Structure formats: C-alpha cells, structure tokens
Amino acid sequence: MLSKPKGRRVAAILAFSGAVIPLSGLHKFYLGQPVWGILYLLLSWTPIPHLASAIEGFWYLVQDPDQFDRNFNLNSPVTVQSSVDPSQVAAMAEALRQLEQLRQEGLISEYEFEQKRRKLLD
C-alpha cells in the first residue's frame, strides 16, 4: 500500500470520516504522514482535529490532481516530454547534485532541501 499512488477521493473520504467519527487522522496515515496521524489521534477528544479533517477533506477534493500528486505521490512515475533539451537535463542534474551536497554537509535542512528540490523539478 505504501508504494501505490494515493488517491484524492480516498484521502478525502478518510478525512471526512475523521470529522464525523471519534477517531480522526486516518487520512494522515494513508497519505504517509504518521506523525500528524498520531497527533490527530492524541487530540481526538478535542474538536480541533475534526475541524481540520473536514477542511483537509474539502482541500483534497478541490485540489488539482497534478498538485495532489506533487504533494502526496512523490514516488509516482514521472512522464518525460519528448521535447526535452539535453543541456537543460544536465544543468538540472548538476543543480540537484549540488543541492544534495549542501544537504549532506548540513548546510540546509531536510525541509529546505525538499522545498528547493520541488522548485527545481517544477
């Protein structure tokens, strides 16, 4: 289940169910965010995770499918267009290598690395 692409509708259904039933946060486990899922479960006795689940369920449904995939399906197959310039690919690869080196040297955090990597790939 972890290697399969996550579906927007399933995530939205799990989020909406978390807004109704006493257990909330199941959608976070489904989307591969177990820390958030545990936090939602720990706070289930308050209305906060139930409200957040309802908002997130709506957000998953109105989100563009490509945007959802970028956010939650990082390991899904990427289609490459045939009109890609090889020099651009080489420049992108070099930029990603430099970014990885900065991360390994501890000059940027994991979060900064992921944000900059996503920006480069977009």
Side-chain angles (χ1 to χ4, degrees), residues 70-83:
R70 280 193 296 275
N71 289 337
F72 302 109
N73 292 321
L74 296 177
N75 297 327
S76 63
V78 178
T79 57
V80 178
Q81 296 176 351
S82 61
S83 63

Side-chain angles (χ1 to χ4, degrees), residues 25-122:
L26 298 177
H27 64 290
K28 292 297 187 180
F29 288 107
Y30 173 73
L31 293 173
Q33 300 173 335
V35 175
W36 280 105
I38 292 169
L39 184 64
Y40 275 50
L41 286 173
L42 290 174
L43 294 173
S44 285
W45 60 275
T46 69
I48 296 168
H50 303 290
L51 180 62
S53 292
I55 292 169
E56 288 172 342
F58 179 73
W59 178 58
Y60 298 150
L61 289 178
V62 299
Q63 198 173 34
D64 180 43
D66 293 333
Q67 182 66 34
F68 182 87
D69 287 339
R70 280 193 296 275
N71 289 337
F72 302 109
N73 292 321
L74 296 177
N75 297 327
S76 63
V78 178
T79 57
V80 178
Q81 296 176 351
S82 61
S83 63
V84 175
D85 184 14
S87 64
Q88 289 180 339
V89 172
M92 179 70 67
E94 181 59 31
L96 288 171
R97 279 190 212 100
Q98 290 175 354
L99 193 59
E100 173 64 19
Q101 185 175 2
L102 290 173
R103 185 186 63 81
Q104 287 179 351
E105 292 174 359
L107 297 174
I108 60 172
S109 68
E110 285 290 328
Y111 178 77
E112 292 171 317
F113 169 78
E114 187 59 31
Q115 293 299 315
K116 291 176 190 261
R117 184 188 70 82
R118 284 183 184 181
K119 235 183 214 181
L120 279 172
L121 294 176
D122 284 344

